[in-house]
Amino acid sequence: MATIRSLWTSSFLCAHVLGQAYNPGGREEGAFSYVQPLNTTILGPYGHSPAVLPSPNATGDGGWEAAFVKAQAFAAQLTVEEKADMVTGQPGPCVGNIVAIPRVGFNGLCLQDGPLAIRVADYASVFSAGVSAAATWDKDILYERGFAMGQEFRAKGAHVALTPVAGPLGRSGYAGRNWEGFAADPYLTGVAMELSINGIQDAGVQATPKHFIGNEQERQRNPTYDPNGTVTDILFEAISANIDDRTMHELYLWPFANAVRAKAASIMCAYQRLNGSYACENSKVQNGLLKEELGFQGYVMSDWGGTHSGVASIENGLDMNMPGGLGNYGLFPQAGSLFGGNLTRAINNGSVAESRVDDMIIRIMTPYYWLGQDKDFPTVDPSSADLNTFSPRRTWLREFNLTGPRSRDVRDDHGELIRKHGSAGTVLLKNENNALPLKAPKSIAIFGNDAGDDTQGFYNQVDFEYGTLTAGGGSGTGRLTYLVTPLVAIQNRAAQDKALVQYWLNNTLIVNSNVTDLWIPEQPDVCLVFLKTWAEEAADRQHLSVDWHGNEVVESVAKSCNNTIVVTHSSGINTLPFASHPNVTAILAAHFPGQESGNSLVDILYGTTNPSGHLPYTIALNGTDYNAPPTTAINTTGINDWQSWFDEKLEIDYRYFDAHNLSVRYEFGFGLSYTTFSLSDLAGSPLRDDITSAPEKLPVQPGGNPALWESIYNVTVSVSNTGEVAGAAVPQLYVGFPSATTPAGTPPRQLRGFDKVMLEVGETRTVAFELMRRDLSFWDVVSQQWVIPAGEFTLSVGLSSRDLRDFATITPVEA
Ligand SMILES: *[C@@H]1O[C@H](CO)[C@@H](O)[C@H](O)[C@H]1NC(C)=O
Ligand SMILES: *[C@@H]1O[C@H](CO)[C@@H](O)[C@H](O)[C@H]1NC(C)=O
Ligand SMILES: *[C@@H]1O[C@H](CO)[C@@H](O)[C@H](O)[C@H]1NC(C)=O
Ligand SMILES: *[C@@H]1O[C@H](CO)[C@@H](O)[C@H](O)[C@H]1NC(C)=O
Ligand SMILES: *[C@@H]1O[C@H](CO)[C@@H](O)[C@H](O)[C@H]1NC(C)=O
Ligand SMILES: *[C@@H]1O[C@H](CO)[C@@H](O)[C@H](O)[C@H]1NC(C)=O
Ligand SMILES: *[C@@H]1O[C@H](CO)[C@@H](O)[C@H](O)[C@H]1NC(C)=O
Ligand SMILES: *[C@@H]1O[C@H](CO)[C@@H](O)[C@H](O)[C@H]1NC(C)=O
Ligand SMILES: *[C@@H]1O[C@H](CO)[C@@H](O)[C@H](O)[C@H]1NC(C)=O
Ligand SMILES: *[C@@H]1O[C@H](CO)[C@@H](O)[C@H](O)[C@H]1NC(C)=O
Ligand SMILES: *[C@@H]1O[C@H](CO)[C@@H](O)[C@H](O)[C@H]1NC(C)=O
Ligand SMILES: *[C@@H]1O[C@H](CO)[C@@H](O)[C@H](O)[C@H]1NC(C)=O
C-alpha cells in the first residue's frame, strides 16, 4: 500500500470521492465537491480520475446540424417535469422506456436489447453472436448483419438498439460477455463497430455502443448491496478497472472512437468503476474522452442500474438514466429515481443548470430527428409488453399507448443471411488427410449433447445439458422462433447419400462407453463430435475448456474412430487439448451461429461453402498461459477493495504472446480453407509527401481530430488462390513500430488492416489497405496526442498473426 500510481497523467483528483457515491438530488443534500486536493488517506493506492468539467454542449457538428436545430426547438417547448421525463427511464413495454409527451407530438422512445437479436420479441430472428461476426473478418457481412437487425428492431417499434459491444474488448478470455462483442483486438473491433452501427442506423434505428468503458469482467461489476439495508445500501462498491492513459487510448477507447465517428446515437456507460469512480459518473471519460476528445454528439445512457448519483452524474456527463429506478439493476422504480422527481427539484432549486438538462435532451433528440424517427416510426409491438419480464405490466407507473398490430413477424428473409453469416464465422482449425469437406460418407456417427434439439425451450438463459448452443445468456441472448440443429441438418443432407446416421447425445454415456459397442456395423466413415461452451452476462467463465466433459467425449470417440471431427459451439476461447490427437482429423470452431446453426455447419462440412473464418482471439496451449485474468476474489472487507489493475497494459491476447515469444495452439487471425493462398508484392506508398509526426490540429468532429482519420499510406499486396477450389482469403496487415522512437511496451505487431477476398482457382487480386494517421501513431501521454514516431515501420502481411508471408518497410517521418 505504498506508491500512488498516476493514471491519466493527472495527479489529482477525482470525479467522485469515495464514500460520496449517493448524491440524490442536489448539492444541498450532498455537499458534492469535484475538485479536492489528492488525499491519499482516502484514496489509498487506488486509481484516480481527474475532474473534467463542465459537460460540453452538443453542437450537431458533423452532419447533424439540421436535426440539432429541431432538437433545440423541441427542448425549448418542455416544462421542467417533461424535461425530467425525457432523461429518466420508466417501467414500460420495452427494456427501457422514455414516456411520450403527446402535448408536443412526441411518442416516446422504446429501447430494446441486444447484440444478436431484438431480445424481447416474438417472430424475430436470432442472428450470429458478435464473436461469430468478428470471426468472419468480412466487412460486407458486418454491415449486412447490422442492417438486417436494425430492420427488425424498427419493425417492432424499437427506436434504440442496445448494441454493438466493444466493452468487453477481450482483455481476458474468461470474461463472461466477450461473445457479445467482437475481437480481442481494437482494430478489428473498431471496424466491426463502425460497420455494425452504419447498418443499424441505415435501417433507421439508433445504435448504442456499449459498455463505456473498461467493462472487462463480470465479477463484481456492480456494487454488493446490503440485503438488510435499503435499496441503495452498499457493502462493496463495484470493481474499479484501473487503466493508464496510453492503454486506454490504444486499446479500450480505440473502437469507441470508430463508433463515434460512425455517428452512433447513444453510448451506454459501464457498470463498474473506472480509476476509482463509477463509469457513469466519471467526468474524465464522459466529458473528457467522449464528448471533448472524440466530439461525441449523441447521448450517454447508463447501463441498467449503473447510475449512482443525481447531480454528480449529470454534471459528469451522463445524459439518460436507465431503466430509471433505484438499486440493483435499477429494479426498484417504486423506490424513486436519482433523476425523475429529484431532477425536477434540482432544476427548480438551481442545483443543476437547466441548460445542462437542455443539452441532455438535445443530445437525445438530435439523432432521433436525424434518423427521421419523428416520421412514420412503427408503434411498439404490444407483444413486447407481454414478453417483458424486466418491467412487467404490474410494475408500470405510467400509461403506455399500445395501439399497433400485435406479434408482427419481422423476420423477412433474414434466415438466409443468418445461414451465410454462421458459415462465414466458422473457423476451420485443423484438417488432416483432407478429412473435410466430407465426400458423401455412407456411415456417419454423431456424438455429443451439443448436436441435437434444445430440451429446455428456445429462450435459453441457463447452461442446459441437452441441446445445441446458438447464443449465450443474459441480456445479449435471443428468443428463437425456430432452430435448425446440427443433427437435423446433417440427417437431411446425408439422406441425399442414403447414409446411415447414428447418434448419441448423452455425454456421460459416451464417456463411459467403448463406442465400438455403440455403433453398427463397424467404424463409421466419420465420427462428428459436438461440444459446447456456455457463457453469460453477470458471470465470468470458470475455465477455458469445453463444458460437459467435452474433452473426455472426444477422447472416448477418438480412441476408436480414426476420423473424428470435432465441432465446438462456444462463446470464445477453448484450449482444445485434443487438438494434436492423431485421430482428430478436423476441428471447427463454429462459435454462436444463431438460428440456422445446422445449415450453416452443413454448408461447411459438405463443402458447399469453403470455410473462411479466422480466429478473433488466440487459443493458447493452456488456460493458465493467458495474462490478465479477471479479479475473482478479495480477502479484505473494505468497501473499495475490489480493484483490477490493468498492469499488462497493451499486452492482451496476441500482443502478449508475441511480446514474450510464447508458443500458442492457434494464434489470432488463424483459419484454414479448403484451398491455399499465396501473398506477395507487399508495398507501401505515402498518400501525401509532408507527413508530420503530430497531427494538424483541426476542429474536433465526431471521432476526434479528423486528421487522425486521414489515409496517409496505401499498402498493397497480391493475393492468389493456389489451390483447387474457389475460396475467400483474409489477408491481414500487421504493423511494427520503430522501437527506438516508440515508448517501451509497444507490441511487436498490431493489426492495422484486413480484407476478405473471394478468389477463383488460379485467380490473383491486388488488395489495398489504407493506413490512417491513427494506425501509425501511439498515444503520447506527455503531449496528450497521437504521434507518429520517426523511423522505419515494418509491415507484415499474412494469413494469421503468425503466418506472415511478406514484409515491407515504410518511413513516414525521417528520424
Ligand atoms: C484525508 O482524509 C482523512 C480521512 O477522511 C482525514 O482524516 C484527513 O484529515 C484528510 N487529509 C487531508 C490533508 O485533507
Ligand atoms: C451550454 O449552452 C448554454 C446555453 O444554451 C450555456 O448557458 C452554457 O454555458 C453552455 N455550456 C457549456 C459547457 O458551454
Ligand atoms: C442480514 O441479516 C441477517 C439476519 O439478521 C443476518 O443473518 C445476515 O448476516 C445479515 N446480512 C448482512 C450481509 O449483514
Ligand atoms: C430521490 O432520490 C432518493 C434516493 O437518494 C430516493 O429515495 C427518492 O425516492 C427519490 N425521489 C424521487 C421523487 O424519485
Ligand atoms: C396512441 O397511438 C396512436 C398511434 O400512434 C395514435 O393515433 C393515438 O392518438 C394515440 N393515443 C393517445 C391517447 O396518445
Ligand atoms: C445419460 O447417461 C448416463 C450414463 O449412462 C445415465 O445415467 C443418464 O441417466 C443418462 N441421461 C439421460 C437424460 O438419459
Ligand atoms: C472396445 O471394444 C472392442 C471390442 O470388444 C475392443 O477390441 C477394443 O479394444 C475396445 N476398445 C477400448 C478402447 O477399450
Ligand atoms: C485411432 O483409431 C483407431 C481405430 O480406427 C484405433 O485403432 C487407434 O488406436 C486410435 N488411435 C489412438 C491414438 O487412439
Ligand atoms: C481408419 O480406419 C479404417 C477402418 O479400420 C481404415 O480402413 C482406414 O484406412 C483408417 N484410416 C486411416 C487414415 O488410418
Ligand atoms: C496447464 O498449466 C497448469 C499450471 O501450469 C498445469 O498444472 C496443467 O497441468 C497444465 N495443463 C495442461 C493440459 O498442460
Ligand atoms: C485470499 O487468501 C487465501 C488464503 O490465504 C489466498 O490463497 C488467496 O490467494 C487470497 N486471495 C486474494 C485475492 O488475495
Ligand atoms: C491504393 O492502391 C490501389 C491499387 O493500386 C488503388 O486501386 C487505390 O486507388 C489506391 N488507393 C489510394 C487511396 O490511392
Side-chain angles (χ1 to χ4, degrees), residues 73 93 109 178 227 362 419 449 501 514 556 815:
L109 295 176
N178 288 354
I362 291 166
R419 177 178 187 157
N449 63 7
V501 181
N514 177 338
S556 181

Side-chain angles (χ1 to χ4, degrees), residues 466 506-509 512:
Y466 292 97
N506 181 335
N507 284 10
T508 313
L509 175 87
N512 293 330

Side-chain angles (χ1 to χ4, degrees), residues 710-734:
E710 187 196 348
S711 291
I712 56 171
Y713 266 86
N714 197 17
V715 178
T716 53
V717 66
S718 293
V719 190
S720 305
N721 183 343
T722 51
E724 266 135 49
V725 287
V730 178
Q732 301 159 36
L733 179 69
Y734 294 86

